[in-house]
Amino acid sequence: MTAADLPELDLATYPLVAAICFVAAILGGMSGFGSGLIIAALAAPLVGVKAVVPLISVVMMITNSSRIWVYGKDLDLRLAAVLLATSVPASILGSFIYVRLDAELISTLLGVVLVASPLLNAALRRRRFRAGPWAMAALGLAFGLLSSNIIGAGLLIPPILLGAGLVGPAVLATDAAVAVGTSVFRVITFGSLEALTVPIAVAGVLMGLCTIPGTWVAAWMMRRTSLRVHTVLIEAFVVLAGLGFIWRGLAAS
């Protein structure tokens, strides 16, 4: 995949992708569901399926950096270092694999992940994985490889951290640190492979910045509306979007 294979965004598109990310941050913030999944479902028709993972890497780098800034004093550096030691090189390797995948296969994989994500999210929340340092390193390796090829791999990290004994802000801060570390190297690798163009990168920065006020709005709305209703509606939207991606991938193959 080269820059020629990616769509060029005109100036009129940037306000639209910013609005998409603002809305996705609100929806994700109210449901506790992965904002990256929602952003991917809404942004793919604009930027193209092949650009989704590079774009989301930029967005999540900024989004998670803001979480580190808020919860940084609770960051568990030891656990973050263990996970990053294997997830970073694995994410670089995964980026090389991603650029060689067909757009139809990426669309199908993204669709499967979106359809399965509500069930995966619920299952992981009910389980706490007890793992030692070597098992943590192995899990980091799996996460790094998956995170460069599918949206939603971040769902794997919080249950791991809970199982290691972290709670509340410590989970958020450590999860964000791992996400930022892998995202930075994915962005560098995708850029070197011409899988991340300047227009897509600018859109990702803009979208990442728009998640910050979206999260604030979500917090305000959560105090005034039913969380369960929003969660059901959002999960239904994600599943329907996933089915659309699967149909698109299979129809084009």
Side-chain angles (χ1 to χ4, degrees):
M1 178 170 59
T2 65
D5 300 316
L6 298 172
E8 288 297 323
L9 302 182
D10 56 40
L11 291 177
T13 307
Y14 290 117
L16 182 57
V17 295
I20 284 174
C21 204
F22 176 72
V23 172
I26 294 174
L27 297 176
M30 289 193 301
S31 67
F33 206 66
S35 296
L37 292 169
I38 301 170
I39 295 170
L42 293 173
L46 288 175
V47 303
V49 173
K50 287 288 284 187
V52 167
V53 171
L55 173 70
I56 297 299
S57 295
V58 177
V59 176
M60 291 296 103
M61 182 174 61
I62 296 173
T63 301
N64 285 295
S65 294
S66 68
R67 286 170 56 193
I68 295 175
W69 181 73
V70 173
Y71 301 111
K73 62 184 179 64
D74 298 294
L75 172 63
D76 189 313
L77 287 173
R78 184 185 65 83
L79 282 179
V82 171
L83 288 167
L84 285 170
T86 52
S87 63
V88 165
S91 68
I92 295 173
L93 174 61
S95 300
F96 279 92
I97 295 172
Y98 181 82
V99 299
R100 287 164 174 76
L101 297 177
D102 293 331
E104 294 78 13
L105 178 58
I106 292 175
S107 182
T108 303
L109 288 174
L110 179 58
V112 170
V113 171
L114 290 173
V115 170
S117 58
L119 293 175
L120 177 62
N121 190 39
L124 290 175
R125 283 185 173 184
R126 289 195 298 266
R127 296 176 180 271
R128 291 195 176 187
F129 299 94
R130 304 277 177 194
W134 288 107
M136 281 282 188
L139 290 167
L141 184 70
F143 164 72
L145 191 61
L146 290 173
S147 65
S148 295
N149 288 277
I150 60 174
I151 306 297
L155 292 173
L156 299 173
I157 298 299
I160 294 170
L161 298 176
L162 288 168
L166 301 189
V167 293
V171 173
L172 295 174
T174 308
D175 174 49
V178 175
V180 169
T182 53
S183 294
V184 167
F185 283 92
R186 277 201 306 276
V187 167
I188 294 172
T189 306
F190 282 135
S192 68
L193 296 173
E194 297 185 323
L196 179 65
T197 62
V198 171
I200 296 295
V202 171
V205 171
L206 182 62
M207 293 170 78
L209 293 174
C210 287
T211 63
I212 299 173
T215 301
W216 294 340
V217 172
W220 180 86
M221 294 180 68
M222 276 182 62
R223 294 191 292 267
R224 293 163 175 79
T225 54
S226 168
L227 175 61
R228 181 57 188 164
V229 170
H230 287 294
T231 300
V232 171
L233 290 175
I234 291 166
E235 290 184 349
F237 161 76
V238 170
V239 169
L240 289 174
L243 291 173
F245 279 113
I246 294 173
W247 178 83
R248 185 186 307 172
L250 294 177
S253 60

